[in-house]
Structures are given as C-alpha cells and as structure tokens.
Amino acid sequence: MKKVVLLSTGLVFSSVSQASALYFYEIGTEDTALAGAGQAARAQDASTIVTNPAGMTRLPEHMFTGGLQALGGNIDYQLDNDRLQSPGNVMKLTPNASAFYSQKINESLYAGIGLYGNYGLGIDYGNWAGERLIKKSTMVAMTLSPSLAWKLSDRVSVGGSVNLNYGFLSLTRTVDGDDHDDKDHDWAMSYRLGLLMQLTEQTRAGITWNSKAEYDFNVNGKARFPNLPNVEYNLPISAQVRAPQQLMLSLVHDINTQWSVMGDLGWQDWSQFGAPQVTVSGNTLDKTNRMKDTWHTALGVQYRPTPQWRLNAGVAFDSSPYRNQSDVAMTLPTGDEWRFGTGAQYQLTPASNIGFAVEYLHMQSSKVQSPGLLSGDYNHPYLWFTSVNYSYQF
C-alpha cells in the first residue's frame, strides 16, 4: 500500500514539474491581435526584443513599448468516478505585464532591454476529491533580456539577447483540513539569436532561435490519505522544470501601402524534456516520455485604412506536445491549439500609438489516466486573452 501511495503522489508531482510546458506568444502587445503571425520579421515596436532582437535596427533612435494583459478561460476537469467531487473549471483570471526599451547607439549598433513573462501556467482545483494530493499549482517565470543588434548592411541585421529568467513554483494541498503551501524559486539563464533579412523592397524574413532554460525546484510536501488516516507521509520532492529550445521563421510581405500579409513556421523541442527527473525521498521515479516536439504555424493580415489606424487579424495552429491525448498530465491540460486574434493600433501623435487586442485559444480535449482514482477528462478547454499596449518614440 505504501508503494502505491508513493507512486501515485510521485505521478502527480511529475505532472506538476511539466505544468509550465507552455510558451505563450501573447505578451500584451500586437502579437496578441495577430496570433503571433510574422513575429520574427515584423519589428514594429520595441517588443521585437523578445520576438527577434535583430529587429531593433528597424526602430527609431529611442522607443518604449509597454503592455498589460489579462488571461482567462474555461478548463473544466471532470472525474471518471461521478461519486467523487470534480474540480470543474481550474482556470482563474491571470494578469500580466511587459515593458521594452530600445536605443540606437550608432549607425550600426542598437541596444535594448525587455522585461516580460510568457512562460508558465497556474491552475486551481479548489475543493475536490484529490485536494490531499494537489489543490493549486502555479509555475511562473519572468525574464529580463538585455539585447544588442547589429546592422550588417541595408538588408541584413543580426541580434542577440542574454535572458535572465526567474522561476517561481508554488504547490498547495490540504493537510488536516487546512491549506498547506510549498514554494520555491530558481534563476536560469537562456539565450536568443536573431537574423532579419530584407529580401526585396516589399518582403522581409526573420529567424529566431531560443535556447533551453532549466529551473531546479525543491519542495517539501506532506500528504494524508483517507484509506490511511493515521499515517502522514513526508515527501521531499525535487523537480526540474524545463523550457525547451525553439526555432521560429517568419515572413512579412507588404502588398501595398495599405495591406500586409505575414506568416510563421516554428518548432519547439519538447521531446527532449518530456520525462523530467523527479525524486521522492531520494529515489528517482522512472517515467515514460509522453512528450513530442511541437510545430507552430500562423497567418496574419494588417490593414491600414488611414495613416492613423492599423487593423490586425491572425490565426495560428500549435500541435500537441503529447504523443497520446488519452494519456496527458493532470496539471498540463493541453493538446492541439487554435488561436484566433484581432485588434487595432491607433496613432495618437507622430511619436506615440496605443493598441488593443483580443484572442481566443481553443485546446484539444484530453484524457488523464493517472493517478487512477483521480482519472478524468478535460473537455473542450479554451483560453482568452485581452491586452492593451502603448509605444512612444523619442
């Protein structure tokens, strides 16, 4: 019985260690309205630091871009055993913010810095049948990105960022009728390289590579189980949370002064990190790698009816990181994802503009097989994003 309890708990925390296996393209800027389309080649404001630092060479001498964002949705989890209390919607409203600044140093060199969060997931199961194992799970990361860009010629620029990532992990479970929180944090380094090419007067291409980042967390958890009322288990758990390397290729084509079309093709190396090393009381749990590499594609359009307005719309598809949607981690409810975004930018003055965006993200349904008594389904989950952004050049 003890072996079964330890294994079940290990499986839950192994899932938690993957709970941040989500990169978001939405950082409170114009990327939300375009579903990320053209992100590595657009370079229309200082947020290009995170999508392609080489794009700073297309910006004015000094530029600031800031954004605010809210994330919500419905991710409903229903247990297979209808005699047990299901969590229902585990998604809660989440705010986010970002800020970017770029500056021209000389005719060839540009520098910038960005502060943003685009990696993580927080879920709240509330009062449910499995609250002794897990009630809440949150892993968030904020990134500080000092960046440089070099203009090699009128048609080619390169750029790079050193990313200082701060990760925070929080787990909540019920102990003796009260919520018990376990928290830890870690710093991780990663890097970004970008290339921007002006192929023709109307077409440009961008390529961005992001390196992996690894966070190491140590969490001391306690659990009691209904079938073992007089036994308390102390489970020291250490977990690696990994953000994989990724590659993004983007194209932007200006049809005329009013219309532009853009697209993406991206790849993320989730298969390398599909089996994080989780230890329970010093013993490593062997897990089958359930993850696979993911692919991203997007198509967007910009329409400029007047010099003051820029209207955006985009659609994107991201493939599931799971090999089998019938065996997903409880705390990573994801699958194939479709994004649909729209929004607008308005030029307030010759030096400033403001924008807003909304986006709907539909996720593929999935099945959770373990732990056994808590198996269930995520049916037709979805997220929504709303954001405002402001840019000022001087």
Side-chain angles (χ1 to χ4, degrees):
M1 178 61 68
K2 180 177 179 181
K3 182 178 179 180
V4 172
V5 171
L6 287 175
L7 180 58
S8 297
T9 309
L11 288 174
V12 170
F13 276 90
S14 180
S15 299
V16 171
S17 71
Q18 298 183 72
S20 61
L22 292 173
Y23 269 120
F24 289 112
Y25 308 109
E26 301 82 6
I27 51 174
T29 59
E30 208 163 357
D31 288 296
T32 304
L34 288 159
Q39 58 185 279
R42 246 183 5 259
Q44 291 175 314
D45 59 45
S47 68
T48 190
I49 288 171
V50 69
T51 54
N52 186 349
M56 287 190 291
T57 60
R58 290 181 54 86
L59 302 182
E61 291 192 5
H62 305 269
M63 191 170 194
F64 167 82
T65 298
L68 297 174
Q69 179 184 319
L71 161 65
N74 188 296
I75 303 179
D76 188 71
Y77 188 56
Q78 297 295 324
L79 296 174
D80 292 336
N81 188 339
D82 56 14
R83 293 175 297 178
L84 301 176
Q85 183 177 354
S86 296
N89 181 21
V90 303
M91 184 66 205
K92 303 302 179 184
L93 184 67
T94 305
N96 194 17
S98 61
F100 305 92
Y101 172 75
S102 69
Q103 178 176 329
K104 182 179 180 180
I105 305 300
N106 55 45
E107 291 302 316
S108 301
L109 181 63
Y110 289 70
I113 191 167
L115 179 64
Y116 60 92
N118 70 331
Y119 183 75
L121 181 67
I123 53 180
D124 186 349
Y125 291 91
N127 298 314
W128 72 300
E131 63 186 29
R132 291 174 179 85
L133 290 177
I134 182 172
K135 195 169 183 178
K136 297 179 184 179
S137 166
T138 301
M139 193 278 168
V140 294
M142 289 295 295
T143 301
L144 183 68
S145 295
S147 306
L148 290 174
W150 295 266
K151 192 173 185 179
L152 302 181
S153 70
D154 289 339
R155 291 186 175 270
V156 179
S157 298
V158 296
S161 301
V162 176
N163 306 316
L164 182 61
N165 307 284
Y166 174 79
F168 174 78
L169 175 67
S170 174
L171 302 175
T172 302
R173 57 172 57 170
T174 297
V175 179
D176 294 330
D178 296 320
D179 288 351
H180 180 79
D181 296 324
D182 296 291
K183 302 175 182 179
D184 196 17
H185 63 91
D186 191 31
W187 294 90
M189 296 292 295
S190 63
Y191 308 93
R192 180 180 301 115
L193 298 176
L195 171 67
L196 186 64
M197 299 171 289
Q198 189 74 38
L199 303 180
T200 70
E201 293 303 315
Q202 295 174 280
T203 305
R204 60 186 179 274
I207 302 174
T208 306
W209 170 79
N210 287 274
S211 73
K212 66 181 180 180
E214 298 191 20
Y215 305 89
D216 291 297
F217 299 108
N218 289 288
V219 178
N220 292 317
K222 295 182 179 180
R224 281 188 175 182
F225 302 91
N227 54 345
L228 297 169
N230 299 318
V231 179
E232 184 179 75
Y233 288 91
N234 293 284
L235 305 173
I237 297 171
S238 64
Q240 283 187 324
V241 178
R242 293 140 166 180
Q245 64 172 326
Q246 59 176 336
L247 191 66
M248 185 70 69
L249 168 65
S250 299
L251 288 173
V252 173
H253 178 69
D254 299 323
I255 299 174
N256 52 41
T257 57
Q258 287 189 309
W259 290 93
S260 297
V261 293
M262 57 206 67
D264 289 338
L265 182 62
W267 165 81
Q268 294 178 351
D269 190 17
W270 284 116
S271 62
Q272 182 182 3
F273 297 144
Q277 298 301 308
V278 178
T279 62
V280 178
S281 297
N283 298 315
T284 300
L285 295 180
D286 294 328
K287 276 190 88 258
T288 302
N289 190 341
R290 292 183 289 179
M291 310 294 277
K292 64 179 181 179
D293 291 351
T294 62
W295 295 91
H296 162 85
T297 186
L299 181 64
V301 60
Q302 282 189 343
Y303 173 55
R304 297 170 288 274
T306 70
Q308 287 76 37
W309 284 99
R310 187 164 69 224
L311 308 181
N312 299 300
V315 58
F317 173 78
D318 288 83
S319 64
S320 173
Y322 288 112
R323 298 181 184 275
N324 185 351
Q325 285 301 118
S326 297
D327 183 22
V328 308
M330 181 190 298
T331 51
L332 179 50
T334 190
D336 291 345
E337 297 177 351
W338 283 95
R339 286 171 162 86
F340 304 90
T342 188
Q345 298 289 128
Y346 179 71
Q347 199 73 31
L348 295 169
T349 70
S352 64
N353 70 77
I354 191 170
F356 69 91
V358 293
E359 186 188 79
Y360 171 79
L361 188 157
H362 175 78
M363 284 186 284
Q364 184 181 7
S365 298
S366 56
K367 172 73 175 177
V368 176
Q369 294 186 2
S370 62
L373 288 176
L374 303 180
S375 62
D377 296 276
Y378 286 104
N379 289 316
H380 308 294
Y382 66 86
L383 301 175
W384 56 260
F385 301 84
T386 181
S387 68
V388 294
N389 60 81
Y390 174 79
S391 291
Y392 182 75
Q393 62 188 59
F394 53 96

